[in-house]
Amino acid sequence: MGKKIITFIITIFIFITIVISILVYNYKDVLEYTINNTNIIEVKSNVYYAKDFGFEDIKSNTDFDNDGIDDYSDILEGARIEAENKPEYKDGYYNGGYPPDTEGVCSDVIWRAFKNAGYSLKDMIDKDIKENIDSYPRVDGKPDPNIDFRRVKNLKVYFERNHISLTIDLNKIEEWQPGDIVVFQKDGLDHIGIISDKRNERGVPYIIHNAGQNNREEDGLEFYNERVWPITAHYRLKDINKGSNND
């Protein structure tokens, strides 16, 4: 009887070891944190790319900063640099508009990513507000260059007016491309991020963003959309060169 119990215990131990090994292989990192009053358990899964699903990443025909890298790839690279730097999540009002490199919120990911492609998103938004102030309800007729370009509501209006508006259906995986901008909104709270070239096993892309979480590039687009903030908009920088397949 004693041998049977020992054999049973050993069998259970081996089974549990195998299960844990499988989980460790498939899920390398598990983190838990809270965003927007929602408890989040983050599971870092295996990484896939567009080619694994039979299509290619879209490249821009424009290389605005003439660095030999197209704009969409530059924006992705800039967002990833921001994710790796992992500035402290800290909101504030700054003379001149720009927070220090060690601080930022979700909207700072966007202008920093665009800066890596040679664009001054601040100047672009300030100009559009000046010329079309009635289109920006968040400005309320009183432009403030120190903060306007860091407000998600203003970013949404700017991209809606000036760039390419795309699907918010995550099932259309080919239409979600690296360097795209995604906007979320719930109960008056706004959030924004950049689409990664990494994808999960369903082909849904990762998101690069700053909500104060540990992993700034993560497989969380579906989760945030369903549990935290629904996706309300999806944009792509307009290719300023003629003949673009994104016109």
Side-chain angles (χ1 to χ4, degrees), residues 138-201:
R138 181 65 180 83
V139 173
D140 195 27
K142 302 170 185 176
D144 186 347
N146 286 328
I147 193 66
D148 286 338
F149 75 109
R150 299 180 63 233
R151 286 175 167 155
V152 177
K153 286 182 173 62
N154 292 338
L155 286 166
K156 187 175 186 297
V157 172
Y158 171 77
F159 285 117
E160 189 76 33
R161 284 178 39 79
N162 296 279
H163 297 282
I164 305 166
S165 183
L166 300 162
T167 184
I168 60 172
D169 185 350
L170 292 177
N171 293 311
K172 298 179 178 179
I173 59 173
E174 292 182 42
E175 296 187 32
W176 293 85
Q177 290 286 329
D180 286 358
I181 299 96
V182 59
V183 180
F184 307 81
Q185 194 274 331
K186 181 180 180 181
D187 300 331
L189 298 175
D190 303 286
H191 189 63
I192 194 166
I194 298 284
I195 297 300
S196 171
D197 60 339
K198 296 179 181 179
R199 295 174 183 268
N200 64 23
E201 67 276 5

Side-chain angles (χ1 to χ4, degrees), residues 4 41 79 104 140 172 184 201 204 221-222:
K4 288 184 178 179
I41 297 177
D140 195 27
K172 298 179 178 179
F184 307 81
E201 67 276 5
V204 177
L221 199 56
E222 293 168 296

